[in-house]
Structures are given as C-alpha cells and as structure tokens.
Amino acid sequence: NTITIGASGDTTNIVGTLQNNGAAVGGANTPAFQAARTTNQSIANNAFTKIQFQTENFDTNSTYDKDTNYRFTPGVAGKYYIYTQVQMAGLSADLYIVNIYKNGATWLNIRNGSDTSGEYVLTGAAVDTADSNDYYEVFAYQNSGGALNVIGYSDAAARIYTAFGAYKLIT
C-alpha cells in the first residue's frame, strides 16, 4: 500500500509513536549494570565459588546486588546481553572454568585448556530471554591443588580485570 502525505514542497508534521506489531519502537538499553571485583578473591581448589563483584561501575535500575547475593535480577522481562570477564593468577597447566548461572544452574560455560603462563583471563557473553525474576551469578572453578586468587584491580588507573554486566536489548 502507498500513502501520500502532502505534495512536493509541503512540510508535514507527524505526531505520535511509531508502532511495530502494536509495540512502541525504540527505548533504552535498561536495565543495565556493570560490576567489578576490586580486590583479589580466593577461589577454593576443586569447587565452584561464587565471585563477589562488590563494586558497581553503574547500575541504572538497582538490579545488581553488590552487598549480599552478588547477582543480577532484571526486574523487567526481555532479551539481555550478559557478559563476564574473570582473571585468575597462579595456574600452571590446570583446568579453569567460569560459569554464568541462571536461577542457580549453569547457563553459560566458559573453559580453558592448559597453558604455562600462570595467568588466565576468561571472557564470555551471550543473549538470553529473561523473566523479570530470573537471576544471574558468576562462579569460578580451578583444580590447581590449592586456593588461587581471582584478580581484582588495585592499581591507580582502576583497571578492570574481573567484571560482570548485562543490559537489556531493544527488540
């Protein structure tokens, strides 16, 4: 179908909201947050340990709990881009895994092979459809034979070595 509004040279103002199958088009990428680990955290040997991202870089809708559960609960249903980066030091040819959990179970599994550098950075991201009350957390695992540290930033530049974040996608 063709709709003609005005004639050549006319100025036409259209007021209203664009619709896409009945839903408004556009919006904000919120809720959104990013949290970081600012000090080292010990990760026990041969056990999954929740990483406590205790500092918020931003949190648009207060959806990340940095004080108690260290988890993201969207509060708004939708599709979310969820990501993490975790750096661990002291490994030598050992298994290292980072998982993002959804509602208490593994949702995204990120793993490395062996390396002799002794320091690993694992990153992972994916898109998920979340209900308003779903929650996401990050856990790390290593089997070096003893406890090792997830690295937090401690330098003057406040670099981020270990982070967790998410933002709602506009769909």
Side-chain angles (χ1 to χ4, degrees):
N1 296 335
T2 302
I3 299 173
T4 303
I5 302 174
S8 179
D10 287 351
T11 301
T12 305
N13 293 322
I14 299 174
V15 179
T17 303
L18 292 175
Q19 297 287 313
N20 178 11
N21 294 326
V25 176
N29 291 102
T30 58
F33 86 98
Q34 181 172 287
R37 185 76 213 161
T38 56
T39 59
N40 291 352
Q41 178 184 340
S42 180
I43 303 297
N45 183 59
N46 215 19
F48 280 93
T49 304
K50 184 190 295 193
I51 300 177
Q52 300 172 352
F53 298 92
Q54 83 281 34
T55 300
E56 291 175 327
N57 301 105
F58 61 89
D59 188 358
T60 63
N61 295 59
S62 300
T63 54
Y64 179 72
D65 176 1
K66 68 176 181 59
D67 299 314
T68 309
N69 293 314
Y70 308 100
R71 67 173 54 154
F72 166 63
T73 306
V76 176
K79 292 191 184 312
Y80 287 83
Y81 181 81
I82 302 167
Y83 61 92
T84 190
Q85 172 178 300
V86 179
Q87 183 171 346
M88 187 176 295
L91 292 169
S92 60
D94 294 300
L95 182 65
Y96 174 34
I97 301 170
V98 171
N99 286 340
I100 297 179
Y101 281 32
K102 177 181 181 180
N103 300 329
T106 299
W107 170 70
L108 181 65
N109 179 266
I110 311 155
R111 32 187 343 142
N112 76 323
S114 60
D115 189 339
T116 57
S117 67
E119 200 163 286
Y120 293 86
V121 177
L122 290 182
T123 60
V127 173
D128 192 32
T129 300
D131 289 331
S132 61
N133 60 347
D134 287 335
Y135 62 91
Y136 298 85
E137 308 160 291
V138 177
F139 286 75
Y141 170 94
Q142 58 84 21
N143 68 351
S144 67
L148 295 176
N149 286 329
V150 164
I151 305 301
Y153 64 79
S154 59
D155 59 5
R159 293 178 182 94
I160 296 175
Y161 298 119
T162 300
F164 174 40
Y167 57 88
K168 187 173 185 288
L169 298 175
I170 298 171
T171 57

